[in-house]
Amino acid sequence: MPPVVLVAVGVHGLAKQGLSALDVGWLAVTVLLGVAFGAVRAATTVLYARNGVLWQRYTAKTLVVWVATFAAGVGVGALAITVGMHPEARSMPLSIGVGLLGEALVVLLRSRVAGVPLSTGKR
């Protein structure tokens, strides 16, 4: 489960840092934004049943949300550093991981509503 691994790597890397309260606050903001953008991204995907399992396909809207996610991450990161967050307190693996987790949770919920099991990816 790659998103969980990315989150674990990010948290492990941050555990070695001497994080200030400001750092933790900005990390919380970026985690919430990552999950939210992941959820929005998942809403732009197409889910369809094939051979009795549910498959996911990205759309052009998904690409737009990826670009917006990247832009927002750069903007929020720059703002955080401007107001005093330590640059070392930013974690790319954590940011990517929480975004993918947000996406996965929404896709999982949508699959439950559809009543079709998710594909394991094996063809």
Side-chain angles (χ1 to χ4, degrees):
M1 187 171 232
V4 174
V5 171
L6 286 169
V7 170
V9 167
V11 169
H12 181 266
L14 290 171
K16 297 177 181 180
Q17 304 293 326
L19 299 178
S20 69
L22 182 66
D23 295 335
V24 172
W26 277 104
L27 279 170
V29 168
T30 59
V31 163
L32 291 174
L33 281 174
V35 171
F37 271 108
V40 170
R41 194 169 51 250
T44 67
T45 63
V46 174
L47 298 180
Y48 59 97
R50 183 173 74 192
N51 299 328
V53 293
L54 204 61
W55 290 78
Q56 175 184 355
R57 185 178 71 233
Y58 284 171
T59 65
K61 289 179 185 177
T62 311
L63 179 59
V64 170
V65 176
W66 271 111
V67 171
T69 302
F70 177 75
V74 169
V76 168
L79 178 62
I81 290 172
T82 299
V83 297
M85 180 181 189
H86 296 98
E88 303 82 28
R90 296 183 66 209
S91 171
M92 188 63 69
L94 179 64
S95 296
I96 293 170
V98 295
L100 291 174
L101 278 175
E103 181 178 338
L105 290 173
V106 171
V107 169
L108 181 63
L109 290 173
R110 290 176 63 197
S111 74
R112 296 293 182 238
V113 170
V116 180
L118 287 171
S119 169
T120 60
K122 297 177 183 175
R123 296 179 186 237

